[in-house]
Amino acid sequence: MSGMTIIVKTICNWVKVLILLFGLYIILFGHATPGGGFAGGVILAGTYVLIMLAFGREAVEKNLSPSLAGKLLSVGAASFGLIALAGFLFGRDKFLWNFIYQKWPDFKFLGGGTIDLAEFAIGLVVTMSLYLVIFTISVYCRDFKCRDKQCDIPVKEREQN
Amino acid sequence: MLYALCFLMFTIGLYCTVVKKNMVKIVIGIVIMEYAVNLFLIMLGYRIGGVAPIVVEGHVLGNFVDSSVDPLPQALVLTAIVISLGSLALIISICVRTYEKYGTFDITQIRRLKG
Amino acid sequence: MSIPLPVFVIIPLMTAFLLPLFGKKGKAAATLFANLATISLLVLAVASIGKSAVYEIGKWSIPLGINLVLDGLSSLVLLAISVVAAAAMLFSTKYMEQYTAKSRYLSLFMLMVAGMNGVVLSGDLFNLFVFLEIASLASYALVGFGCENEELEASFKYMVLGSIGSTFILFGIALVYGNTGMLNMAYISKAIQANGLNAGLGFALALFITGFGLKAALVPFHAWLPDAHPSAPAPISAMLSGVLIKTLGIYAMARVLFNIFGISVSLGWILIVLGMLSMVSGAFLAMGQWDLKRLMAYSSISQIGYMVLGIGLGGLILAKGGDLAWASLAILGGLFHLVNHAVYKSLLFLTSGSVAMSTGTRQLKEMGGLAEKLPVTRIACTIASASIAGIPPFSGFWSKLILVIAAILSGYYWIAAVIVFVSLCTLIMYLKVQRYVFLGELPENLQDIKEHRGSMAFAMLSLTLLCVFMGLLVIVPGLKAIVLDPAVKVLTDGLLYSSNIIGM
């Protein structure tokens, strides 16, 4: 896979920034409008798929290596768990409690309180896991010992949303 | 009536899963079943002429409840889609690995295990 | 002090996501971390015995938000899960060195534990489905973990049937939601009591029985189990056979049938017939097997039948308005057999892993005379076999005795006869294991094998001790009142479940 023609590459260079921004927008406004971590994460992963199609797999691999993606995925999932656990810390015995919204009304301009933070974590998880799924299937598994088993599980972390 | 069509789609998926010999077609059958259930859930919450279930300032809450669609099935379907995405990715990767080992997708020829 | 219920889900979940961060170098640290997590879960599960609690997540009140419920049945199954998980994790510290991607294995293992704990604690039908899918997805991946031909094929088979089962369950949940407008189990139950069953709910009930039956591998739906369980690594086989099929199948089915829909005579008969079919055909199929783990997998099907039979018999007596004491006795037999089977079947799979690791084969005909080479494994396997066959001092005897007594007292003599007959078949198949694995001539190529001691032997011995002393749970009245009776009461109370939850 060495990529497509120059036209596709140029257009892709222009468009990829817009798509990334749109994905971030969807994640940021997930608490108030349709969308959120999952939808935004899918769009972000779509950017990587577009680059993979236009420039070839190696270009993406240099940019975001699968092992780094796996680590980021774990970080995202673990930070979602920490946000959930923070409810214990700030309110007694209140798991997944929206402590920012309830405790510090000054921060209400953020919109959703902990939901915003959780959306970011979910977006990270979904982006990385979808990227890993598509990447490993495109590699056709020959060089990857069982990596494809790992990558699709933590997607479900977002079901709390 | 529409619910019956959903059920028809579900049985088509079940038929495809049970009868077909090709691994990829079996996977497609499973996906059809899952989508039939998702469609059924969405239709449960749908109301003709309903509005999106997002509260904006200025809504009268009583009117809003009467005119909006049910948001709960939508959340359920979103979760179910994520789950089916995860299992689809896993099962496709298993299919790919199996194809590498055996060189075929035909389950009648992949018969190491029996009994 | 009450235990905050989400810890049962959040500890394994967080562990699962933190483990990959250790990387390749921190393998020993990751293993230690995972072991700590399972052992802390065990401590928490022991501490939660005899308590009951309702936990509202995020402080949303019950019909609006998601809740977790701990009652007698939940804490019993939770205890079984934690015991088996701790032992299997201890066993896999050494055993999994044969495989390459150990940290992935550990995180999938923890994900599976998280899913099962969630299923047991969930008080909400849809969350039950979500956790069930988490546990099933992790187990699909673990069955295909070796990436060899047989394992991939078994995993594919398991995944197809498991996905069909999940889709059925989801369809059932959709029908229930459409008919009652509720997802919380207590409120669904209340709505069904108020309005009665209609056609849609009846169809949902059929879908639930099929779906959970597929997950539990009851006989018409059992085709995946004998392939999937032997293909997994030994500690995972122990988890799958020991607790996964019970949590996702038996527990969920009992919860839905008894506490949500309410048991009726026809449902009781369905359960009894499914149980009898599983018992008899599982036992017959197991006797003809020559692969050690495959034999054990078929015997799991037969043992699952005992539990379904016990629960179904209790439900039948309840629905007919018979004596409550006999119904409790039958359900007690089923549930006690569930716990017992979790212990001794996981022990048997662990011993099979130990044998396979030492000899490199699973075929019964290629082994023999391993008694002096593998003494610890031999002791463990013999006691577990005696227990599963129902030899008196060991745990399996007591649960089967209770089932037989319940069947005779309630007048179903033929059920008692079948129970005794299948028990005899079980004895025959495990005598076959003893004969071909541990007695007889030692083959030439196995002269210089040695046993793996350390954590593997410790895990097996602790489960063996449990096997010997589990009988005390029913003999000592105090223990029975704390551990088993609340669980039985949850099922015999039936539809009172909803008023218990809403009132609390």
Side-chain angles (χ1 to χ4, degrees):
Chain A
M1 259 203 271
S2 59
M4 292 185 172
T5 59
I6 185 90
I7 302 171
V8 178
K9 282 183 180 174
T10 317
I11 298 286
C12 172
N13 258 335
W14 293 348
V15 166
K16 71 184 179 194
V17 186
L18 294 177
I19 300 178
L20 274 173
L21 272 177
F22 183 63
L24 279 177
Y25 166 82
I26 295 269
I27 292 180
L28 265 176
F29 285 81
H31 61 275
T33 54
F38 180 67
V42 171
I43 292 170
L44 288 185
T47 322
Y48 277 104
V49 176
L50 180 66
I51 298 172
M52 207 186 286
L53 284 174
F55 292 90
R57 201 178 56 234
E58 291 75 18
V60 184
E61 198 173 357
K62 243 181 280 167
N63 198 332
L64 178 66
S65 74
S67 65
L68 179 66
K71 289 229 167 69
L72 282 176
L73 191 155
S74 295
V75 168
S79 58
F80 183 86
L82 283 181
I83 292 164
L85 278 178
F88 275 121
L89 208 66
F90 290 99
R92 296 173 72 88
D93 200 17
K94 289 170 188 168
F95 180 70
L96 266 177
W97 190 50
N98 196 338
F99 59 93
I100 294 180
Y101 198 74
Q102 307 281 356
K103 261 200 142 161
W104 298 301
D106 300 348
F107 282 95
K108 274 197 178 173
F109 68 88
L110 274 180
T114 46
I115 295 179
D116 276 338
L117 299 177
E119 298 279 10
F120 269 110
I122 294 162
L124 194 60
V125 172
V126 174
T127 313
M128 292 310 155
S129 52
L130 269 181
Y131 167 69
L132 274 177
V133 167
I134 292 161
F135 189 88
T136 42
I137 289 182
S138 79
V139 166
Y140 218 67
C141 313
R142 198 158 290 140
D143 320 326
F144 286 83
K145 297 251 183 279
C146 282
R147 190 186 298 283
D148 44 341
K149 298 288 158 51
Q150 170 63 31
C151 48
D152 44 7
I153 305 299
V155 184
K156 298 172 304 303
E157 177 68 13
R158 66 156 302 286
E159 104 268 333
Q160 309 279 5
N161 182 18
Chain B
M1 186 57 225
L2 282 172
Y3 297 144
L5 282 179
C6 259
F7 184 69
L8 185 68
M9 192 168 154
F10 186 81
T11 44
I12 288 172
L14 192 59
Y15 172 83
C16 178
T17 313
V18 173
V19 172
K20 291 294 171 188
K21 297 282 185 285
N22 189 320
M23 283 171 93
V24 178
K25 284 183 185 165
I26 291 174
V27 176
I28 291 172
I30 290 173
V31 173
I32 291 174
M33 277 166 73
E34 271 160 4
Y35 285 173
V37 176
N38 288 347
L39 188 63
F40 179 65
L41 265 169
I42 282 289
M43 282 189 349
L44 280 179
Y46 183 69
R47 151 184 298 168
I48 294 167
V51 297
I54 299 170
V55 183
V56 193
E57 275 178 54
H59 271 308
V60 181
L61 213 56
N63 286 345
F64 177 71
V65 171
D66 286 339
S67 63
S68 75
V69 298
D70 187 355
L72 191 60
Q74 301 180 3
L76 303 189
V77 166
L78 207 55
T79 314
I81 286 175
V82 175
I83 291 170
S84 65
L85 173 79
S87 66
L88 179 65
L90 187 59
I91 199 165
I92 283 292
S93 65
I94 287 173
C95 285
V96 169
R97 300 290 293 253
T98 318
Y99 185 76
E100 270 195 344
K101 301 263 185 202
Y102 289 91
T104 174
F105 275 129
D106 191 349
I107 52 165
T108 51
Q109 292 171 22
I110 304 170
R111 277 273 162 212
R112 239 3 124 69
L113 300 167
K114 58 183 190 305
Chain C
M1 185 203 142
S2 71
I3 300 165
L5 294 183
V7 292
F8 285 110
V9 182
I10 204 76
I11 289 178
L13 210 56
M14 286 294 279
T15 319
F17 293 131
L18 287 177
L19 283 175
L21 296 178
F22 282 104
K24 282 216 167 63
K25 285 170 200 142
K27 214 154 94 178
T31 313
L32 185 68
F33 194 50
N35 269 308
L36 278 180
T38 47
I39 287 169
S40 60
L41 278 179
L42 178 59
V43 172
L44 282 170
V46 171
S48 76
I49 284 269
K51 298 211 172 66
S52 60
V54 178
Y55 190 94
E56 296 162 348
I57 286 179
K59 282 290 154 191
W60 293 95
S61 56
I62 285 182
L64 296 177
I66 297 165
N67 65 337
L68 299 181
V69 178
L70 178 77
D71 55 16
L73 186 58
S74 311
S75 61
L76 184 73
V77 183
L78 207 56
L79 186 68
I81 293 171
S82 315
V83 168
V84 177
M89 187 51 103
L90 209 58
F91 189 85
S92 47
T93 50
K94 188 77 180 293
Y95 184 81
M96 291 310 288
E97 295 294 330
Q98 317 172 52
Y99 292 78
T100 46
K102 194 177 171 189
S103 71
R104 292 219 167 73
Y105 162 82
L106 292 175
S107 64
L108 283 172
F109 186 104
M110 295 316 286
L111 215 53
M112 194 162 90
V113 174
M116 282 191 289
N117 280 352
V119 167
V120 170
L121 286 175
S122 169
D124 174 297
L125 209 49
F126 190 73
N127 260 44
L128 189 142
F129 169 74
V130 169
F131 283 121
L132 183 140
E133 276 293 274
I134 292 177
S136 323
L137 269 180
S139 68
Y140 302 147
L142 281 169
V143 166
F145 197 73
C147 294
E148 292 303 320
N149 289 358
E150 290 89 3
E151 285 145 2
L152 289 172
E153 199 184 324
S155 181
F156 183 75
K157 210 174 188 179
Y158 180 23
M159 257 200 100
V160 169
L161 285 172
S163 301
I164 293 176
S166 320
T167 320
F168 272 47
I169 294 167
L170 186 61
F171 202 5
I173 291 171
L175 280 169
V176 167
Y177 180 74
N179 278 304
T180 63
M182 292 285 175
L183 282 173
N184 190 292
M185 290 186 196
Y187 280 80
I188 293 171
S189 162
K190 204 171 138 194
I192 290 176
Q193 283 173 61
N195 300 329
L197 281 177
N198 57 17
L201 285 175
F203 185 45
L205 195 54
L207 286 171
F208 278 132
I209 291 178
T210 319
F212 291 130
L214 265 166
K215 294 280 180 194
L218 290 173
V219 147
F221 320 114
H222 71 288
W224 57 270
L225 189 140
D227 293 335
H229 287 194
S231 301
I236 294 306
S237 310
M239 285 295 280
L240 292 178
S241 251
V243 283
L244 191 92
I245 47 176
K246 301 191 186 69
T247 322
L248 303 192
I250 308 282
Y251 167 83
M253 195 189 273
R255 185 65 96 192
V256 167
L257 293 191
F258 279 78
N259 291 348
I260 296 183
F261 285 93
I263 196 82
S264 63
V265 175
S266 51
L267 281 180
W269 277 116
I270 288 175
L271 286 185
I272 288 177
V273 168
L274 284 178
M276 300 275 258
L277 269 177
S278 310
M279 275 162 68
V280 176
S281 45
F284 280 147
L285 285 167
M287 278 194 287
Q289 298 299 320
W290 287 101
D291 181 326
L292 181 56
K293 284 176 95 173
R294 224 173 149 75
L295 188 148
M296 289 176 183
Y298 272 115
S299 115
S300 276
I301 299 177
S302 135
Q303 301 289 317
I304 278 284
Y306 276 102
M307 298 157 215
V308 176
L309 177 70
I311 293 171
L313 186 60
L316 182 68
I317 300 169
L318 273 182
K320 279 193 170 169
D323 195 332
L324 185 65
W326 301 341
S328 312
L329 203 61
I331 292 177
L332 174 74
L335 291 181
F336 188 48
H337 200 77
L338 189 152
V339 182
N340 282 337
H341 182 249
V343 173
Y344 53 65
K345 184 47 67 70
S346 51
L347 177 55
L348 278 171
F349 268 114
L350 292 188
T351 55
S352 83
S354 170
V355 168
M357 194 174 170
S358 296
T359 61
T361 177
R362 290 190 338 219
Q363 296 302 318
L364 287 176
K365 283 180 177 164
E366 295 170 17
M367 298 184 219
L370 296 175
E372 61 238 56
K373 293 284 180 190
L374 311 169
V376 178
T377 313
R378 196 270 161 99
I379 293 170
C381 187
T382 309
I383 289 181
S385 305
S387 188
I388 199 171
I391 305 230
F394 302 113
S395 56
F397 169 71
W398 300 103
S399 49
K400 287 183 186 175
L401 184 68
I402 291 171
L403 278 176
V404 170
I405 291 174
I408 288 176
L409 280 180
S410 52
Y412 298 100
Y413 297 107
W414 53 282
I415 290 181
V418 172
I419 292 173
V420 174
F421 172 68
V422 173
S423 189
L424 209 66
C425 296
T426 316
L427 182 64
I428 292 171
M429 71 181 117
Y430 282 96
L431 279 179
K432 178 174 157 186
V433 170
Q434 297 295 321
R435 158 73 182 77
Y436 281 96
V437 177
F438 294 111
L439 305 176
E441 289 282 303
L442 192 65
E444 283 294 311
N445 54 346
L446 298 178
Q447 288 296 346
D448 50 351
I449 60 164
K450 58 180 186 298
E451 190 170 31
H452 295 269
R453 296 290 171 86
S455 62
M456 281 167 70
F458 180 72
M460 286 192 285
L461 282 180
S462 48
L463 281 182
T464 312
L465 281 181
L466 267 182
C467 254
V468 176
F469 292 112
M470 282 277 273
L472 290 179
L473 270 181
V474 279
I475 301 170
V476 180
L479 275 176
K480 178 165 171 279
I482 295 174
V483 180
L484 287 168
D485 281 349
V488 175
K489 196 164 181 315
V490 168
L491 290 187
T492 49
D493 273 355
L495 294 171
L496 288 179
Y497 171 79
S498 69
S499 49
N500 286 342
I501 300 295
I502 296 167
M504 244 193 282

Short mmCIF file of all heavy atoms in Angstrom, two decimals, chain A residues 69-97:
data_model
loop_
_atom_site.label_atom_id
_atom_site.label_comp_id
_atom_site.label_asym_id
_atom_site.label_seq_id
_atom_site.Cartn_x
_atom_site.Cartn_y
_atom_site.Cartn_z
N ALA A 69 -1.15 3.24 20.67
CA ALA A 69 -2.61 3.32 20.65
C ALA A 69 -3.20 2.43 21.74
O ALA A 69 -4.14 2.82 22.43
CB ALA A 69 -3.14 2.90 19.28
N GLY A 70 -2.61 1.25 21.91
CA GLY A 70 -3.10 0.35 22.95
C GLY A 70 -2.94 0.98 24.33
O GLY A 70 -3.83 0.90 25.18
N LYS A 71 -1.79 1.64 24.54
CA LYS A 71 -1.56 2.28 25.84
C LYS A 71 -2.55 3.41 26.06
O LYS A 71 -3.13 3.55 27.14
CB LYS A 71 -0.13 2.83 25.90
CG LYS A 71 0.91 1.73 25.99
CD LYS A 71 1.89 2.03 27.10
CE LYS A 71 2.72 0.80 27.41
NZ LYS A 71 3.65 0.47 26.33
N LEU A 72 -2.76 4.23 25.01
CA LEU A 72 -3.70 5.35 25.15
C LEU A 72 -5.10 4.85 25.45
O LEU A 72 -5.84 5.45 26.24
CB LEU A 72 -3.72 6.18 23.86
CG LEU A 72 -2.56 7.13 23.67
CD1 LEU A 72 -2.66 7.81 22.32
CD2 LEU A 72 -2.58 8.18 24.76
N LEU A 73 -5.44 3.72 24.82
CA LEU A 73 -6.75 3.12 25.07
C LEU A 73 -6.90 2.79 26.55
O LEU A 73 -7.91 3.11 27.19
CB LEU A 73 -6.85 1.86 24.22
CG LEU A 73 -8.16 1.13 24.05
CD1 LEU A 73 -8.08 0.38 22.76
CD2 LEU A 73 -8.41 0.17 25.16
N SER A 74 -5.86 2.15 27.11
CA SER A 74 -5.93 1.80 28.53
C SER A 74 -6.02 3.05 29.39
O SER A 74 -6.76 3.08 30.37
CB SER A 74 -4.71 0.99 28.93
OG SER A 74 -4.70 -0.21 28.26
N VAL A 75 -5.26 4.09 29.00
CA VAL A 75 -5.30 5.33 29.78
C VAL A 75 -6.70 5.91 29.76
O VAL A 75 -7.24 6.33 30.79
CB VAL A 75 -4.28 6.34 29.21
CG1 VAL A 75 -4.51 7.72 29.79
CG2 VAL A 75 -2.88 5.89 29.50
N GLY A 76 -7.32 5.93 28.56
CA GLY A 76 -8.66 6.48 28.46
C GLY A 76 -9.64 5.72 29.33
O GLY A 76 -10.40 6.32 30.09
N ALA A 77 -9.59 4.38 29.24
CA ALA A 77 -10.53 3.58 30.02
C ALA A 77 -10.30 3.77 31.50
O ALA A 77 -11.23 3.93 32.29
CB ALA A 77 -10.40 2.11 29.64
N ALA A 78 -9.01 3.79 31.90
CA ALA A 78 -8.70 3.93 33.32
C ALA A 78 -9.13 5.30 33.82
O ALA A 78 -9.62 5.44 34.95
CB ALA A 78 -7.23 3.71 33.57
N SER A 79 -8.98 6.34 32.98
CA SER A 79 -9.37 7.66 33.47
C SER A 79 -10.89 7.77 33.59
O SER A 79 -11.39 8.43 34.49
CB SER A 79 -8.82 8.75 32.56
OG SER A 79 -9.27 8.56 31.26
N PHE A 80 -11.60 7.06 32.71
CA PHE A 80 -13.06 7.02 32.90
C PHE A 80 -13.40 6.40 34.24
O PHE A 80 -14.24 6.92 34.99
CB PHE A 80 -13.71 6.20 31.78
CG PHE A 80 -15.20 6.17 31.87
CD1 PHE A 80 -15.94 7.17 31.29
CD2 PHE A 80 -15.85 5.17 32.55
CE1 PHE A 80 -17.30 7.18 31.39
CE2 PHE A 80 -17.22 5.16 32.65
CZ PHE A 80 -17.94 6.17 32.06
N GLY A 81 -12.69 5.32 34.58
CA GLY A 81 -12.92 4.69 35.88
C GLY A 81 -12.59 5.63 37.01
O GLY A 81 -13.30 5.69 38.01
N LEU A 82 -11.51 6.40 36.86
CA LEU A 82 -11.13 7.34 37.93
C LEU A 82 -12.19 8.41 38.11
O LEU A 82 -12.51 8.79 39.23
CB LEU A 82 -9.79 7.99 37.60
CG LEU A 82 -8.57 7.11 37.83
CD1 LEU A 82 -7.31 7.87 37.49
CD2 LEU A 82 -8.54 6.66 39.28
N ILE A 83 -12.75 8.89 36.98
CA ILE A 83 -13.80 9.90 37.09
C ILE A 83 -14.99 9.33 37.85
O ILE A 83 -15.60 9.98 38.70
CB ILE A 83 -14.22 10.38 35.69
CG1 ILE A 83 -13.09 11.17 35.06
CG2 ILE A 83 -15.46 11.24 35.76
CD1 ILE A 83 -13.25 11.35 33.59
N ALA A 84 -15.30 8.04 37.53
CA ALA A 84 -16.41 7.41 38.23
C ALA A 84 -16.09 7.28 39.71
O ALA A 84 -16.93 7.51 40.57
CB ALA A 84 -16.69 6.04 37.64
N LEU A 85 -14.82 6.92 40.01
CA LEU A 85 -14.45 6.71 41.41
C LEU A 85 -14.37 8.03 42.17
O LEU A 85 -14.51 8.04 43.39
CB LEU A 85 -13.09 6.02 41.48
CG LEU A 85 -13.11 4.51 41.30
CD1 LEU A 85 -11.72 3.97 41.35
CD2 LEU A 85 -13.95 3.88 42.39
N ALA A 86 -14.15 9.14 41.45
CA ALA A 86 -14.01 10.41 42.13
C ALA A 86 -15.28 10.77 42.89
O ALA A 86 -15.25 11.52 43.86
CB ALA A 86 -13.69 11.50 41.13
N GLY A 87 -16.42 10.19 42.44
CA GLY A 87 -17.65 10.39 43.18
C GLY A 87 -17.53 9.92 44.61
O GLY A 87 -18.10 10.51 45.52
N PHE A 88 -16.77 8.85 44.83
CA PHE A 88 -16.54 8.36 46.18
C PHE A 88 -15.79 9.39 47.01
O PHE A 88 -16.03 9.56 48.19
CB PHE A 88 -15.69 7.10 46.15
CG PHE A 88 -16.47 5.85 45.95
CD1 PHE A 88 -16.22 5.04 44.87
CD2 PHE A 88 -17.45 5.50 46.84
CE1 PHE A 88 -16.94 3.89 44.69
CE2 PHE A 88 -18.17 4.34 46.66
CZ PHE A 88 -17.91 3.54 45.58
N LEU A 89 -14.85 10.06 46.32
CA LEU A 89 -13.95 10.96 47.03
C LEU A 89 -14.68 12.21 47.48
O LEU A 89 -14.54 12.67 48.61
CB LEU A 89 -12.81 11.34 46.08
CG LEU A 89 -11.48 11.70 46.71
CD1 LEU A 89 -10.94 10.45 47.36
CD2 LEU A 89 -10.55 12.17 45.62
N PHE A 90 -15.53 12.75 46.59
CA PHE A 90 -16.11 14.05 46.86
C PHE A 90 -17.46 13.95 47.57
O PHE A 90 -17.83 14.81 48.33
CB PHE A 90 -16.25 14.85 45.57
CG PHE A 90 -14.92 15.26 45.03
CD1 PHE A 90 -14.31 14.56 44.02
CD2 PHE A 90 -14.26 16.35 45.58
CE1 PHE A 90 -13.10 14.94 43.53
CE2 PHE A 90 -13.04 16.73 45.10
CZ PHE A 90 -12.45 16.02 44.08
N GLY A 91 -18.22 12.94 47.24
CA GLY A 91 -19.46 12.75 47.97
C GLY A 91 -19.33 11.41 48.64
O GLY A 91 -18.73 10.50 48.08
N ARG A 92 -19.86 11.22 49.80
CA ARG A 92 -19.65 9.95 50.47
C ARG A 92 -20.48 8.88 49.80
O ARG A 92 -21.68 9.01 49.67
CB ARG A 92 -20.05 10.08 51.94
CG ARG A 92 -19.20 11.05 52.69
CD ARG A 92 -19.76 11.24 54.05
NE ARG A 92 -19.54 10.07 54.87
CZ ARG A 92 -18.45 9.90 55.59
NH1 ARG A 92 -17.50 10.80 55.58
NH2 ARG A 92 -18.29 8.84 56.33
N ASP A 93 -19.78 7.83 49.36
CA ASP A 93 -20.48 6.64 48.88
C ASP A 93 -21.38 6.94 47.68
O ASP A 93 -22.49 6.45 47.58
CB ASP A 93 -21.31 6.06 50.02
CG ASP A 93 -21.66 4.61 49.73
OD1 ASP A 93 -20.99 4.04 48.86
OD2 ASP A 93 -22.58 4.10 50.36
N LYS A 94 -20.89 7.78 46.79
CA LYS A 94 -21.71 8.08 45.63
C LYS A 94 -20.92 7.77 44.38
O LYS A 94 -20.17 8.60 43.88
CB LYS A 94 -22.14 9.54 45.63
CG LYS A 94 -23.15 9.84 46.70
CD LYS A 94 -23.34 11.32 46.82
CE LYS A 94 -24.21 11.63 48.02
NZ LYS A 94 -24.19 13.04 48.35
N PHE A 95 -21.10 6.58 43.89
CA PHE A 95 -20.39 6.13 42.70
C PHE A 95 -20.96 6.84 41.48
O PHE A 95 -22.16 6.99 41.35
CB PHE A 95 -20.56 4.63 42.60
CG PHE A 95 -19.88 4.01 41.42
CD1 PHE A 95 -18.52 3.94 41.37
CD2 PHE A 95 -20.63 3.50 40.39
CE1 PHE A 95 -17.90 3.36 40.30
CE2 PHE A 95 -20.01 2.93 39.32
CZ PHE A 95 -18.65 2.86 39.27
N LEU A 96 -20.06 7.29 40.60
CA LEU A 96 -20.45 7.97 39.36
C LEU A 96 -21.26 9.23 39.63
O LEU A 96 -22.09 9.63 38.85
CB LEU A 96 -21.29 7.05 38.46
CG LEU A 96 -20.57 6.27 37.41
CD1 LEU A 96 -21.55 5.38 36.68
CD2 LEU A 96 -19.91 7.17 36.42
N TRP A 97 -21.02 9.84 40.78
CA TRP A 97 -21.78 11.03 41.12
C TRP A 97 -21.23 12.22 40.35
O TRP A 97 -20.01 12.39 40.24
CB TRP A 97 -21.68 11.26 42.62
CG TRP A 97 -22.60 12.29 43.15
CD1 TRP A 97 -23.93 12.39 42.95
CD2 TRP A 97 -22.23 13.37 44.01
NE1 TRP A 97 -24.43 13.45 43.63
CE2 TRP A 97 -23.41 14.07 44.29
CE3 TRP A 97 -21.05 13.80 44.57
CZ2 TRP A 97 -23.42 15.19 45.11
CZ3 TRP A 97 -21.06 14.90 45.39
CH2 TRP A 97 -22.24 15.60 45.65
#
